[in-house]
Structures are given as structure tokens and as C-alpha cells.
Amino acid sequence: MIRNPLRARRDRAQRRLAEVFLARPDACHFGWDTARAARISSGVLYPLLARMEVDGWLESGWEDPAPVDRPARRWYRLTELGRLELSALLSEEAAK
């Protein structure tokens, strides 16, 4: 079976993202910090976050109150469904 290298890269990024979110499942995660912790670029991160939010795995909002010296940051937090799905994803990978 020949694997698509783009899909393999996306899957690897999703696993790294899962590890970051599950390390602190109740925390609000900000984009830049999350990208650095997961070692993925913003061009990979934000489409994954958007897809996970549409699927109901994440909820998001804006930093409130917004700091005076910079724009407000968007935060992302795992939902219960997200915890279950990302845990299953990592368990599935560990079983391979």
C-alpha cells in the first residue's frame, strides 16, 4: 500500500497536536504557543484547529480582556468529545 506523503505529514501533525492538548486538557491553548509545543508550522496548525473545531473537538474564544499593548489572542480548549477522539487517535497509533 502506497501512502500519500501529504496525508502522512498531516497525520503526524495531528498526533503532535493531540499530545499537546491532552497534556493539559482543561487549559486554554493559544495558537503560537501550541504550534511551538507541537513543532508544527502555523500553516499546518490553523487548518487542523479549524477542522477540529467544526468536528466539535475544540471550542474557541478570544482573550478577554484584550491586552492594551497587543491584539487579543484566540484560545482553543478541548471538548469532552475532543478528549475522547484524540485519546483514541493516540491509542490507535500506539497499537500499530
Side-chain angles (χ1 to χ4, degrees):
M1 176 173 143
I2 299 174
R3 282 199 76 190
N4 179 337
L6 294 176
R7 181 180 172 124
R9 189 175 312 148
R10 186 192 71 217
D11 292 349
R12 184 172 46 252
Q14 191 169 19
R15 283 191 305 276
R16 288 178 177 173
L17 197 53
E19 290 167 355
V20 169
F21 273 100
L22 290 172
R24 295 179 33 231
D26 296 321
C28 291
H29 299 264
F30 296 101
W32 174 251
D33 300 329
T34 302
R36 287 184 57 198
R39 300 176 324 274
I40 57 178
S41 70
S42 60
V44 173
L45 174 72
Y46 290 105
L48 282 173
L49 291 175
R51 188 175 310 118
M52 292 167 70
E53 189 170 13
V54 166
D55 290 344
W57 296 10
L58 296 176
E59 60 185 5
S60 70
W62 291 96
E63 203 173 24
D64 188 33
V68 207
D69 59 339
R70 63 170 170 74
R73 298 180 296 172
R74 189 168 182 173
W75 55 261
Y76 299 87
R77 185 172 39 221
L78 274 177
T79 63
E80 189 58 37
L81 176 61
R83 278 185 207 157
L84 295 172
E85 294 292 339
L86 292 179
S87 295
L89 175 83
L90 293 180
S91 297
E92 195 176 281
E93 275 302 310
K96 286 185 180 178

